[in-house]
């Protein structure tokens, strides 16, 4: 169901210290290249059935807003971030905004559509993002282990498990 905020999975983190916005953008690009679910949209095929389509690339940016001196706006802005719906056929099915509260204090807000993530997978994505970010800041090679499976592989296995139980 497109356009329904009930499927939004929001989150926010507070960062303190120096933040390299360029490294954060690079980290997201790397994450999107690594996890095909982040490049996924859902459209009707030629038979009118909704199917998953993995795009070769995804135009994504982390929005930035300087709230130094206007911190009182943050709760409203977070609520607004988290309550905008996604359109499954267009993508991306995630958003991220970085709010600067002080010279060395930031709030990172994100929201993802549940069709591409769950609580466990968000933990994996955040872990990968932080690893890539720290490597980029230190100007080290990005070394993440190869993914054994993609999210679609897990979803396919889950559907097989459900089909088997229904047939029994």
């Amino acid at each position: 169901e497109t356009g329904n905020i009930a499927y939004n999975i929001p989150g926010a983190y507070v960062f303190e210290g120096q933040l390299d916005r360029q490294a954060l953008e690079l980290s997201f690009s790397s994450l999107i290249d690594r996890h095909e679910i982040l490049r996924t949209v859902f459209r009707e095929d030629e038979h009118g059935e909704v199917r998953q389509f993995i795009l070769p690339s995804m135009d994504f940016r982390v929005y930035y807003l300087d709230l130094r001196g206007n911190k009182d706006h943050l709760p409203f802005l977070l609520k607004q971030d988290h309550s905008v719906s996604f359109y499954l056929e267009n993508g991306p099915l995630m958003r991220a905004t970085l709010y600067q509260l002080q010279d060395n204090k930031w709030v990172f807000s994100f929201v993802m559509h549940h069709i591409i993530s769950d609580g466990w997978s968000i933990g994996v994505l955040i872990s990968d993002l932080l690893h890539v970010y720290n490597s980029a800041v230190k100007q080290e090679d990005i070394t993440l282990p190869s993914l054994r499976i993609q999210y679609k592989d897990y979803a396919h296995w889950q559907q097989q498990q459900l089909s088997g139980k229904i047939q029994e």
Side-chain angles (χ1 to χ4, degrees):
E1 192 175 323
T2 197
N4 187 336
I5 66 167
Y7 297 106
N8 287 6
I9 301 176
Y13 293 92
V14 175
F15 296 118
E16 294 192 22
Q18 293 294 325
L19 186 73
D20 185 331
R21 288 176 39 202
Q22 186 175 4
L24 186 63
E25 291 280 352
L26 172 69
S27 301
F28 265 98
S29 293
S30 178
L31 197 68
I32 290 166
D33 289 344
R34 177 175 169 78
H35 296 277
E36 62 188 21
I37 196 66
L38 300 178
R39 300 186 315 274
T40 298
V41 294
F42 296 84
R43 300 178 178 150
E44 286 187 9
D45 65 11
E46 60 276 1
H47 306 292
E49 294 182 33
V50 176
R51 298 280 184 208
Q52 174 184 11
F53 292 88
I54 299 168
L55 305 176
S57 64
M58 178 66 66
D59 185 30
F60 184 84
R61 69 178 280 224
V62 177
Y63 295 95
Y64 168 77
L65 192 59
D66 189 340
L67 292 181
R68 289 177 283 193
N70 296 312
K71 291 182 250 182
D72 295 342
H73 295 354
L74 183 63
F76 169 78
L77 292 168
L78 289 173
K79 184 176 181 181
Q80 185 178 351
D81 282 351
H82 298 167
S83 58
V84 174
S85 58
F86 290 98
Y87 294 94
L88 302 179
E89 63 277 358
N90 298 329
L93 300 180
M94 70 173 174
R95 288 186 299 273
T97 306
L98 187 61
Y99 297 101
Q100 187 168 8
L101 302 179
Q102 299 171 4
D103 289 344
N104 292 315
K105 188 170 185 178
W106 313 77
V107 172
F108 173 70
S109 168
F110 70 90
V111 62
M112 299 179 73
H113 193 286
H114 197 298
I115 201 166
I116 66 163
S117 64
D118 57 20
W120 182 82
S121 62
I122 286 177
V124 171
L125 294 172
I126 295 294
S127 175
D128 281 2
L129 180 70
L130 292 174
H131 179 86
V132 173
Y133 173 80
N134 287 324
S135 295
V137 166
K138 295 175 187 173
Q139 298 181 346
E140 298 174 348
D141 289 338
I142 299 168
T143 55
L144 286 169
S146 298
L147 294 174
R148 292 188 344 248
I149 63 171
Q150 292 282 344
Y151 192 76
K152 72 173 185 205
D153 302 318
Y154 172 71
H156 179 72
W157 171 82
Q158 212 172 27
Q159 285 178 330
Q160 286 180 323
Q161 297 301 310
L162 288 173
S163 311
K165 289 182 180 180
I166 292 171
Q167 292 175 3
E168 291 176 359

